[in-house]
Amino acid sequence: MARTPSNMLELGTKAPAFELHDTVTDKTFDLEALKGPKGTLIMFICNHCPFVKHVNEEITKLGEEYQGKGFGIVAISSNDVENYPQDGPELMKQNAKDEGYTFPYLYDEDQSVAKAYDAACTPDFFLFDENLELAYRGQLDDSRPGNEKPVTGKDLRDAMEAILAGKEVSEDQKPSIGCNIKWKQA
């Protein structure tokens, strides 16, 4: 299991615009339609990664809890489905239903969105404030498959709660660790 860290995009970066297909509703959404009045969480995930499987229950809880508090939440899969067919759109739709995602699960077929966000791994989390400026990027929490630490979402939750309280998000942020995004061969 490869352990790839986040690239840690510079804080304050404006969220790159995108328009992607939602595998669950079969609709196309752009960033403007998905953003929340309090902030926007963009998660790069996929179906097969053991790191994502490890945190799926918690990201489902985050969606249920924070969408109602004014956050737009979206998951994006950018993996090469030719070489990783388990991450294809039909299986993404099934995975979203199986996990109970309450947020869109978008397919980044040409990988342009992952590149625009400098996403490196799955899961990779990007939290933007109400102005779509990057306030947090990095890990969900300290839990990893096999390290026996409970999955709590503490780091990401703390950042979301700071935004809700109108406070600065701590700049002490740790990279996420996960499987590398499966890039298409040129």
Side-chain angles (χ1 to χ4, degrees), residues 66-144:
Y66 285 93
Q67 283 174 301
K69 294 181 179 181
F71 281 94
I73 298 179
V74 60
I76 300 173
S77 180
S78 302
N79 277 358
D80 171 13
V81 299
E82 188 174 315
N83 291 306
Y84 297 87
Q86 63 271 46
D87 291 333
E90 281 305 313
L91 294 174
M92 288 171 61
K93 180 177 187 171
Q94 187 59 50
N95 190 64
K97 288 182 178 182
D98 291 348
E99 295 295 336
Y101 293 167
T102 57
F103 43 81
Y105 191 10
L106 308 178
Y107 178 44
D108 179 20
E109 183 174 10
D110 68 4
Q111 302 182 314
S112 62
V113 178
K115 289 174 184 170
Y117 281 78
D118 202 19
C121 59
T122 55
D124 213 349
F125 300 96
F126 297 84
L127 178 64
F128 297 88
D129 64 16
E130 71 278 2
N131 299 314
L132 289 175
E133 292 176 358
L134 188 63
Y136 179 85
R137 76 287 194 243
Q139 69 178 11
L140 181 70
D141 56 35
D142 288 326
S143 184
R144 304 286 184 269

Side-chain angles (χ1 to χ4, degrees), residues 18-180:
F18 61 81
E19 183 176 87
L20 292 172
H21 176 78
D22 178 23
T23 60
V24 178
T25 63
D26 212 29
K27 295 179 182 173
T28 298
F29 291 103
D30 64 19
L31 179 60
E32 282 299 312
L34 295 167
K35 74 178 187 177
K38 295 291 184 182
T40 305
L41 173 62
I42 297 174
M43 306 176 284
F44 287 86
I45 66 171
C46 69
N47 294 343
H48 86 275
C49 172
F51 291 90
V52 174
K53 289 179 177 183
H54 182 71
V55 300
N56 256 330
E57 186 176 328
E58 185 61 24
I59 64 175
T60 298
K61 287 179 189 174
L62 281 169
E64 292 168 350
E65 189 175 334
Y66 285 93
Q67 283 174 301
K69 294 181 179 181
F71 281 94
I73 298 179
V74 60
I76 300 173
S77 180
S78 302
N79 277 358
D80 171 13
V81 299
E82 188 174 315
N83 291 306
Y84 297 87
Q86 63 271 46
D87 291 333
E90 281 305 313
L91 294 174
M92 288 171 61
K93 180 177 187 171
Q94 187 59 50
N95 190 64
K97 288 182 178 182
D98 291 348
E99 295 295 336
Y101 293 167
T102 57
F103 43 81
Y105 191 10
L106 308 178
Y107 178 44
D108 179 20
E109 183 174 10
D110 68 4
Q111 302 182 314
S112 62
V113 178
K115 289 174 184 170
Y117 281 78
D118 202 19
C121 59
T122 55
D124 213 349
F125 300 96
F126 297 84
L127 178 64
F128 297 88
D129 64 16
E130 71 278 2
N131 299 314
L132 289 175
E133 292 176 358
L134 188 63
Y136 179 85
R137 76 287 194 243
Q139 69 178 11
L140 181 70
D141 56 35
D142 288 326
S143 184
R144 304 286 184 269
N147 77 357
E148 305 305 321
K149 293 182 180 180
V151 179
T152 64
K154 181 184 182 337
D155 293 47
L156 185 53
R157 284 176 180 279
D158 287 352
M160 294 175 94
E161 288 297 327
I163 288 174
L164 286 174
K167 296 180 180 175
E168 289 291 316
V169 175
S170 171
E171 290 188 18
D172 181 21
Q173 301 176 14
K174 298 176 189 170
S176 186
I177 300 287
C179 297
N180 63 299

